[in-house]
């Protein structure tokens, strides 16, 4: 693989836009971005059609549904995601070991039923929107980063393929969990770009050096005057980090 195709395989466009706009934008940046992230709003509005539309453009689909329910229900939902051809699927680590195992089982079986490669199941630990008070108020002990690492270890023990974490958490997760878990980091801001509501954003190079495998980028591409150039600059930074 060339540097450029390696960088492409490590970038996801967060398609938090109306579907037609998201599809247009993905087509523009596709030379530098392998994944399209379909989140809750697109999925609630369009359902599987949103996934199919990005797959038709040649995107790998990151289905960010953050599943959290009883194991049987999560297994069924993960199986549908696998059958759709998603490459990545998110679940909440706080759902516990049985739920996480059910997600992995469902995703694999669903993919196999349609001849797809199984999606990687990624666990979300503590939402980065939660303050220390929020974490304590839902009954998690310790500082948010301690709770996040505890949940990450639980999720890896349960057999998930990877974790979603902030670029700042990635370093600790990599150190504590070793080279195997696939680490995916949102909260990416190239130097000089607007932070928006991301209070703990880091640059693409920071995330790569911290051990991230996949970088999720939304507004730095959505709001760029030239999205293709913005995506190319991020990909270059990933290649040279
Ligand atoms: O626009 P921006 O680059 O901030 O988009 C980041 C994407 O990653 C959004 O889809 C957002 O929902 C998601 N995300 C995040 N922070 C987290 C988890 C997910 O920004 N902690």
């Amino acid at each position: 693989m060339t540097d450029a195709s390696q960088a492409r395989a490590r970038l996801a466009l967060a398609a938090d836009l109306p579907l037609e706009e998201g599809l247009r934008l993905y087509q523009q940046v596709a030379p530098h971005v392998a994944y399209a992230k379909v989140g809750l709003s697109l999925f609630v509005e369009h359902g599987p059609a949103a996934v199919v539309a990005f797959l038709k453009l040649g995107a790998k689909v990151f289905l960010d549904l953050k599943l959290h329910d009883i194991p049987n229900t999560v297994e069924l939902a993960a199986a549908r995601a696998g059958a759709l051809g998603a490459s990545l699927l998110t679940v909440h680590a706080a759902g516990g070991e049985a739920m996480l195992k059910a997600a992995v089982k469902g995703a694999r079986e669903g993919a196999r039923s349609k001849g797809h490669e199984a999606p990687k199941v990624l666990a979300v630990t503590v939402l980065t929107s939660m303050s220390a008070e929020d974490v304590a108020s839902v009954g998690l002990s310790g500082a948010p980063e301690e709770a996040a690492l505890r949940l990450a270890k639980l999720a890896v023990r349960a057999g998930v393929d990877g974790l979603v974490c902030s670029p700042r958490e990635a370093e600790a997760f990599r150190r504590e969990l070793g080279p195997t878990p696939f680490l995916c980091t949102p909260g990416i801001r190239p130097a000089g770009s607007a932070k928006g509501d991301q209070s703990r954003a880091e640059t693409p190079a920071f995330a790569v050096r911290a051990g991230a495998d996949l970088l999720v980028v939304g507004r730095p591409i959505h709001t760029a005057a030239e999205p293709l150039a913005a995506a190319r600059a991020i990909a270059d930074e990933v290649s040279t980090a």
Side-chain angles (χ1 to χ4, degrees):
M1 255 200 282
T2 63
D3 280 358
S5 69
Q6 278 173 354
R8 184 177 184 272
R10 297 177 71 173
L11 288 176
L13 173 71
D16 304 321
L17 296 164
L19 182 57
E20 289 306 319
E21 239 177 278
L23 292 169
R24 253 197 321 272
L25 187 64
Y26 179 75
Q27 274 179 298
Q28 276 182 274
V29 302
H32 301 291
V33 180
Y35 291 84
K37 184 168 85 74
V38 173
L40 281 171
S41 64
L42 267 187
F43 201 74
V44 167
E45 188 171 1
H46 301 280
V51 174
V52 170
F54 281 102
L55 288 174
K56 278 194 180 144
L57 297 181
K60 291 184 173 193
V61 172
F62 177 170
L63 193 49
D64 188 14
L65 299 183
K66 298 191 176 67
L67 302 174
H68 190 173
D69 207 317
I70 59 171
N72 184 60
T73 301
V74 167
E75 183 174 333
L76 292 171
R80 301 317 307 149
L84 269 176
S87 295
L88 301 169
L89 172 69
T90 53
V91 296
H92 271 283
E97 187 175 342
M99 190 210 80
L100 294 164
K101 285 185 168 158
V104 172
K105 179 166 178 270
R108 288 187 185 154
E109 288 178 357
R112 193 177 324 120
S113 74
K114 299 285 182 187
H116 298 307
E117 198 177 317
K120 283 186 168 57
V121 174
L122 308 181
V124 173
T125 60
V126 176
L127 295 172
T128 49
S129 54
M130 292 179 82
S131 66
E133 292 74 43
D134 294 329
V135 168
S137 73
V138 298
L140 290 173
S141 64
E145 52 278 15
E146 288 164 18
L149 184 57
R150 207 165 53 235
L151 284 164
K153 286 181 175 168
L154 163 79
V156 169
R157 271 201 312 275
V160 303
D161 301 285
L163 297 149
V164 179
C165 58
S166 75
R168 294 186 198 181
E169 282 166 343
E171 211 164 6
F173 280 13
R174 195 50 89 209
R175 192 173 54 241
E176 297 283 337
L177 302 169
T180 311
F182 184 91
L183 299 184
C184 164
T185 58
I188 299 297
R189 290 293 178 271
S193 74
K195 296 251 180 316
D197 59 2
Q198 297 284 12
S199 55
R200 297 190 294 138
E202 295 293 350
T203 62
F206 180 101
V208 170
R209 290 192 204 111
D213 295 295
L214 181 75
L215 282 55
V216 177
V217 186
R219 286 160 289 181
I221 291 177
H222 304 170
T223 61
E226 293 184 51
L228 178 64
R232 183 187 304 121
I234 294 169
D236 286 348
E237 193 174 327
V238 167
S239 297
T240 54

